[in-house]
Amino acid sequence: MSGFDSNPFADPEAGLLAGKNVQAGKTTEDLIEDFNPFAVDQFSNQQVPPSQPAIMQPSTSEQPPPYSSADATSSAVAATKGVTDDLQRRQEELDRKAAEIDRREKELNSRQVLTSAAARVNNFPPLPSWFPLKPCFYQDFTLDIPSEFQKLVKAHFYYWIAYCLLLFVNIGGALGSLVTKSTGECGTTFGLSILYFVLFTPCSFVCWYRPAYNAFRADSSFYFFLYFFVFFIQFCAHVIQAIGIDGSGSCGFINGIQSIKANVAVGIIMLMIGALFSGCAVTSMVLLLKVHRIYRSSGASFSKAQQEFSQGVWRNRAVQETTANIASSAAQQAFTDVRH
């Protein structure tokens, strides 16, 4: 039990001295009586074993890599550069979008100003001033058509011009076939070729080119549907014309091969006309698919086209006047019947 009676807070040197004094035969009271505070250190002759400093054992774990200020600086510079490049790219994108919005706003304002003008002078077809007929349509790609669709609308216009020229060349091929073969079917082909040129030139302009022009000008679903319907019929007509059936009014592969037997030059010309009709068919399909892709991406639908058609019909002054006259006549007739 002596181990439990010791004071853990006692000075170990005092305990050591006390043990030596006890061995010398001195009691605690004697030591207190002999202690002189003004004397030189009474315990200087006592040898105390030196205390050993605490020594930590080296750790066996791996040491961390040495710190390098150059690596930290390069990492910070790379991170700052990445953030700066991202902010610069976003700023350039915002500036580009702002410029695009400003450009569209200016185009819209210019079109609104021209549309609200008192009158827009028709400029197509470009007829001379002395001609008795006047232009029937107004056409200006820069003012009417948005810039992103101008190239496509111009492609339709140039395609219409090329088709009209091909119809004129078709007359020459049919005439050559009539001269070389002199059959009744060749005469029918020649007569119908003239009719096609006179009829299809204005009808193609009115029935599918102007709907395409108005569809992109006003973003109208009704004009888009009208264009799809008529232009698909135009594609089918190109296929039939390229085949070249005798008496169909067009020069193609069938009657061209038959004409080679009578005259090689005329046969080759008719085959070339058939190849041009085939090229028109391919071109028309490409244009149709491009317009359809744009139409589908715009979110238009058939119900919207029906709504635009109904609104356009009821806003037409002629339709309104006709409806009012019919309603007035019906009311007068009903009032007359009641009186009688």
Side-chain angles (χ1 to χ4, degrees), residues 106-148:
K106 291 180 180 178
E107 291 181 356
L108 182 61
N109 292 333
S110 62
R111 286 199 296 268
Q112 289 178 352
V113 169
L114 293 175
T115 304
S116 60
R120 299 174 65 178
V121 180
N122 295 331
N123 56 3
F124 192 86
L127 301 175
S129 58
W130 53 264
F131 199 74
L133 299 178
K134 299 300 180 182
C136 305
F137 304 96
Y138 178 82
Q139 178 173 282
D140 194 332
F141 299 105
T142 305
L143 298 178
D144 287 346
I145 308 300
S147 59
E148 59 269 22

Side-chain angles (χ1 to χ4, degrees), residues 54-78:
I55 300 176
M56 296 182 64
Q57 297 296 331
S59 177
T60 58
S61 61
E62 296 181 357
Q63 297 296 329
Y67 176 77
S68 177
S69 59
D71 295 341
T73 305
S74 62
S75 301
V77 171

Side-chain angles (χ1 to χ4, degrees), residues 16-309:
L16 181 61
L17 295 175
K20 293 182 177 181
N21 293 329
V22 172
Q23 294 178 357
K26 295 181 180 182
T27 62
T28 305
E29 290 80 1
D30 296 337
L31 291 174
I32 295 173
E33 292 177 358
D34 296 339
F35 177 74
N36 184 7
F38 302 100
V40 183
D41 188 4
Q42 302 176 6
F43 303 102
S44 60
N45 57 349
Q46 302 292 335
Q47 295 181 357
V48 181
S51 60
Q52 297 293 332
I55 300 176
M56 296 182 64
Q57 297 296 331
S59 177
T60 58
S61 61
E62 296 181 357
Q63 297 296 329
Y67 176 77
S68 177
S69 59
D71 295 341
T73 305
S74 62
S75 301
V77 171
T80 306
K81 183 178 180 181
V83 174
T84 304
D85 294 342
D86 185 52
L87 293 176
Q88 184 176 2
R89 185 173 62 255
R90 291 184 180 181
Q91 184 64 31
E92 292 177 354
E93 184 177 357
L94 292 175
D95 294 340
R96 185 169 58 254
K97 289 183 178 180
E100 181 68 17
I101 292 174
D102 293 339
R103 183 184 60 79
R104 291 188 177 184
E105 185 178 358
K106 291 180 180 178
E107 291 181 356
L108 182 61
N109 292 333
S110 62
R111 286 199 296 268
Q112 289 178 352
V113 169
L114 293 175
T115 304
S116 60
R120 299 174 65 178
V121 180
N122 295 331
N123 56 3
F124 192 86
L127 301 175
S129 58
W130 53 264
F131 199 74
L133 299 178
K134 299 300 180 182
C136 305
F137 304 96
Y138 178 82
Q139 178 173 282
D140 194 332
F141 299 105
T142 305
L143 298 178
D144 287 346
I145 308 300
S147 59
E148 59 269 22
F149 304 132
Q150 290 180 8
K151 186 177 180 180
L152 183 58
V153 177
K154 288 181 180 179
H156 281 79
F157 180 68
Y158 298 144
Y159 169 74
W160 172 77
I161 295 176
Y163 177 61
C164 295
L165 294 176
L166 181 57
L167 290 176
F168 182 77
V169 175
N170 182 57
I171 297 175
L175 178 60
S177 176
L178 177 62
V179 172
T180 56
K181 296 173 65 175
S182 300
T183 60
E185 293 179 351
C186 293
T188 304
T189 300
F190 176 69
L192 290 177
S193 64
I194 298 175
L195 178 64
Y196 290 164
F197 176 74
V198 175
L199 183 64
F200 287 172
T201 298
C203 288
S204 58
F205 182 86
V206 175
C207 295
W208 60 261
Y209 169 70
R210 288 301 296 184
Y213 185 91
N214 293 328
F216 285 104
R217 180 179 64 85
D219 192 17
S220 173
S221 297
F222 171 72
Y223 282 113
F224 272 116
F225 270 93
L226 182 60
Y227 162 80
F228 292 144
F229 177 74
V230 180
F231 205 59
F232 181 75
I233 296 176
Q234 179 78 16
F235 166 76
C236 297
H238 287 327
V239 174
I240 296 174
Q241 289 173 330
I243 294 174
I245 302 173
D246 286 336
S248 63
S250 60
C251 301
F253 296 109
I254 294 178
N255 50 20
I257 294 174
Q258 294 175 355
S259 298
I260 290 179
K261 299 176 182 179
N263 190 298
V264 178
V266 174
I268 293 175
I269 292 174
M270 295 180 69
L271 290 176
M272 292 177 61
I273 294 174
L276 291 176
F277 277 123
S278 301
C280 286
V282 174
T283 305
S284 62
M285 180 54 63
V286 172
L287 293 175
L288 185 65
L289 292 177
K290 285 185 177 181
V291 176
H292 184 265
R293 189 182 302 113
I294 295 174
Y295 171 76
R296 296 300 298 175
S297 62
S298 64
S301 61
F302 182 71
S303 59
K304 184 179 179 180
Q306 290 178 328
Q307 183 180 1
E308 290 179 358
F309 176 74

